[in-house]
Amino acid sequence: YYACLLHDIGKVNIPDSILTKSGSLTDEEYDIIKTHPVVGAEAIRDVDGIADNIDVIYHHHERWDGKGYPDGLVGENIPFSARITAVADAFDAMTSSRSYRPALQFEVAYERILNGQGSQFDPQLIEIFKLIYPEWVKISKTYRKGMDMRGGENRENSQTE
C-alpha cells in the first residue's frame, strides 16, 4: 500500500521545469524523467515496512513487451506488484490533469488501457481490469461528488461526464 502511494517519490529529484513543462519533453528531459524509479527506490531502500516492496517503486514503468524502464524487463520477469501498479498509475495519470493536457474522461482512459493489453500491460491483469472497471466507476463517481481524490475541488464533470 505505502509503496504504491510512494511509487513516484523519485520525482522529487526532477526539476520543476521538466515536471510542469506545458509542451513536449526533449529526449534529454525524458531521460531525466526516466531516472525517477531508480532514485525513488534508493530513497526508500532502508525504510522498514516499505523496502520489502521496493519493486513497486523501481519497476512500475516496465512494459510487458520489454520497452519500459529502468531495466527493460519483459512479461512475467516484471514483479507482479509492479505490473499492477503500472496499470493503476497509467489510468490515474490519464484521468488527472497535467501541465501539458487536461484530464481524460474515464471512458477514453479505459480504452487506452485496453489498447495497451499485451504490449504495455500484462494481458491477464487487463482482463481483471475489465471486470472491476464498472464497479470502480460507480465508486469513483460517488466519491468524487464531494471531493477529488487528492483533496481538491469537485472535478466530476471533467472526469466522468
Side-chain angles (χ1 to χ4, degrees):
Y1 172 77
Y2 292 110
C4 288
L5 290 177
L6 296 172
H7 74 277
D8 274 340
I9 193 169
K11 286 186 177 179
V12 300
N13 197 51
I14 308 296
D16 284 344
S17 61
I18 294 175
L19 289 177
T20 62
K21 186 174 179 179
S22 59
S24 297
L25 297 176
T26 65
D27 289 344
E28 180 180 270
E29 290 167 332
Y30 186 58
D31 285 342
I32 292 169
I33 287 282
K34 291 192 305 188
T35 66
H36 84 271
V38 176
V39 170
E42 188 58 36
I44 62 97
R45 182 168 305 285
D46 297 322
V47 178
D48 288 340
I50 299 176
D52 293 341
N53 295 293
I54 200 168
D55 288 344
V56 167
I57 295 169
Y58 190 84
H59 291 295
H60 71 279
H61 282 291
E62 301 289 358
R63 290 175 46 112
W64 188 255
D65 61 11
K67 295 179 182 177
Y69 61 90
D71 294 336
L73 299 180
V74 177
E76 292 185 1
N77 291 322
I78 304 165
F80 186 65
S81 56
R83 285 183 267 153
I84 294 169
T85 304
V87 175
D89 183 41
F91 190 80
D92 178 65
M94 287 186 272
T95 59
S96 300
S97 293
R98 302 296 184 177
S99 58
Y100 50 90
R101 61 146 180 81
L104 299 177
Q105 292 180 345
F106 288 166
E107 295 77 12
V108 174
Y110 174 76
E111 289 300 323
R112 289 187 182 185
I113 294 288
L114 297 188
N115 289 338
Q117 185 175 19
S119 56
Q120 186 171 356
F121 306 115
D122 178 333
Q124 292 179 338
L125 288 177
I126 299 309
E127 291 304 317
I128 294 169
F129 180 77
K130 289 176 188 177
L131 294 174
I132 65 165
Y133 176 77
E135 186 64 23
W136 183 86
V137 169
K138 288 180 195 173
I139 293 167
S140 181
K141 284 182 178 182
T142 300
Y143 184 80
R144 289 178 185 235
K145 285 185 182 194
M147 291 294 282
D148 159 74
M149 289 184 185
R150 289 163 199 81
E153 296 292 323
N154 182 330
R155 297 185 325 181
E156 182 180 8
N157 291 337
S158 67
Q159 296 294 305
T160 59
E161 298 301 319

